[in-house]
Amino acid sequence: MLEQHLAALPILLPLIAAPIALILGRSSFSWAFATLISACACLFAWQLLDLALANGVISYEVGGWPPPWGIELRVDAANAFVLLAVSALSTLVLLYSKDSIEKEIEASKHTLYYTAHLLCFAGLSGILLTGDAFNLFVFLEISSLATYTMVSLASDRRSLIAAFRYLVMGTIGATFILIGVGLLYMSTGTLNMLDLANRIDIAESGRTINTGLAFIMVGVSIKLALFPLHMWLPSAYTYAPSAVTAFLASTATKVAVYVMIRFIFTVFGVDHVFGSMGMDLILMALAIVAIFKCSYKATVQSDVKTVLAYSSVAQIGYMILGISLVSATGLMAGLIHIFNHALMKGALFMAVGAVFYRVGSVDITAFRGLGKQMPLTMAAFTIAGLSIIGVPLTVGFVSKWYLVTAALEQNQWIVAALVLGGSLLAVIYIGRILEAAYFQERPDSQNTTEIKEVPWLMLAPMWALVLANIYFGVDTSLTTEAASSAAEWLFQNNEMPLGNQAEAK
Amino acid sequence: MNFILDHYNYWIVVFLMMTGFYIVITANNLVKKIVGLNVFQTSVFILYISEAKVSGGTAPIVTEGATLYSNPLPHVLILTAIVVGVAVTAVGLALIVRIKRAYGTVEENEFKKMDDAI
């Protein structure tokens, strides 16, 4: 029974749990409930990845209607891998948020926060698992609406404007995807992604399909904050509550990257998107500009959350760069970086949230002398920061290694050099913060005795992520196996577009 | 000329889409931005409904004598998209209410100035 419906559970559990969390009323009850649900979903995601790696594809017919008529949930190595990262991060952030939101969200809104978090998680799982293009739009909007609400929960009034801008940009992006899906439906008469891939006949109605491709690409690029469509991201990440930022930075944009991968590789096909449309050059150019422009922007900000937000846009550049290299290794580097970046950005934003919890500010001046006052938090920040830079023995090194390997495979020496150059900028913006924390004295005017380590419930998830940063940096077997089989699957699926894979049920 | 007349519904779609988009970009008042967003989304609804029409087809109800039906699926999709649009509008308006309470204005240039002053 449970086995049979495993594919639907990561969506259904949080979706059903969200209103229950609201009814529970008490902050601590809904916290425990939401965490439990998220942990269960994480367990199911683990099982799904196991099954997907063993059997290939799991297809689930929603409501018993066989695809392509009904909505299909389709689990393969690629989305099971991202789903595992998303559900694990969701669980850790929920653990962390119990203490963190005390300082940043009014007590009466705590249950609303947990409800919105569960809804957002349900939407993200839905985006990952669905095999239906229109269904993807609906889940995208479910998660986005929950996200706008979560951003606006902060007590700083600027979060309202950040949320409103995000809403306008996000809705335009989602509507662009809707237009693109409509144009595809117009010329193919189907919404199922595999069916779409089979029926897209470039020769017959090339213009409609290509317009659809353009709309979907621009829409997804807004959602994943690809330079120059990233303007909503820094303000939303800066003013949202820390727990929300930690969750969004490590999951929402990554899921959008996955959507782009799915549309390029499964629906339109590599040959069409990269071969005849030349999309790889556009993506590569934008990715490289994103890496440098936004890393530079990160070095001149004074608010540490903004620094990390700009760094996120730059890191998304690395993922897109991996995709734009058009090789299995490049795609694998992109997928690994989705997972690894979730680990490091989650840990970094949690550390910044911990600083806000004790000091009440996240300006770079607030970090002065914190190395002595909050040693565990700052140690976590340091290790995750080194991971962003790409120091060996951390996950950041693994992603950069595969990215550079992929670039060298194609003799793109300049790209490889630029990737390494981008890391140097990361040294500057992380270094500035570490310098303030370890080598500057705390100003005497501030009361230093009150600043001590944060509660263990905040430290534990932060350090779980930091240890994962090191563990997956040393023992790369799980991540590389999952990512390489996902990348190979996506590429091989591309070469025989008839798509009659053996379907495990 | 015929090309324009034959596809007049698509021209309406394009016109509405650009109007809505222009309002979203240029409007200074947040409520107007939401109105623009709604016009923009509505144009997409019309796009879907237009593509559902099969020339010569009747309403998709099984009756005697009818062999050609219009496609009902886009209508169903658009019912969902309308619900999504309503939800977006609701969240947007709720945010505007809170912005008005926090800043006392819903004009973008005014609260931008207030935040710079801090």
Side-chain angles (χ1 to χ4, degrees), chain A residues 68-219:
Chain A
W69 297 283
I71 292 170
E72 183 192 20
L73 299 182
R74 221 179 150 73
V75 188
D76 55 42
N79 54 14
F81 181 54
V82 185
L83 181 68
L84 181 65
V86 168
S87 55
L89 252 303
S90 158
T91 313
L92 288 173
V93 169
L94 276 172
L95 275 177
Y96 169 88
S97 60
K98 184 175 190 298
D99 287 311
S100 173
I101 63 171
E102 300 263 299
K103 289 264 160 132
E104 299 181 48
I105 301 178
E106 287 169 40
S108 60
K109 290 179 186 157
H110 283 181
T111 45
L112 286 178
Y113 163 77
Y114 295 118
T115 310
H117 183 105
L118 283 174
L119 280 176
C120 183
F121 177 42
L124 294 175
S125 317
I127 298 171
L128 290 171
L129 293 180
T130 188
D132 186 278
F134 188 81
N135 203 226
L136 187 140
F137 160 77
V138 176
F139 279 125
L140 195 67
E141 281 297 63
I142 291 177
S143 71
S144 304
L145 282 169
T147 312
Y148 312 144
T149 321
M150 287 203 288
V151 170
S152 74
L153 282 176
S155 36
D156 188 337
R157 66 177 182 179
R158 281 172 293 184
S159 71
L160 295 171
I161 291 166
F164 188 83
R165 287 212 180 111
Y166 187 10
L167 178 132
V168 171
M169 287 289 276
T171 307
I172 290 173
T175 311
F176 267 44
I177 295 174
L178 185 63
I179 298 170
V181 172
L183 291 170
L184 291 188
Y185 184 73
M186 195 188 276
S187 48
T188 59
T190 181
L191 290 166
N192 185 289
M193 287 185 190
L194 271 192
D195 213 26
L196 268 175
N198 294 342
R199 291 202 199 178
I200 286 181
D201 191 349
I202 297 112
E204 215 152 81
S205 62
R207 201 180 290 167
T208 315
I209 302 264
N210 287 343
T211 317
L213 172 70
F215 269 113
I216 289 176
M217 278 306 169
V218 174

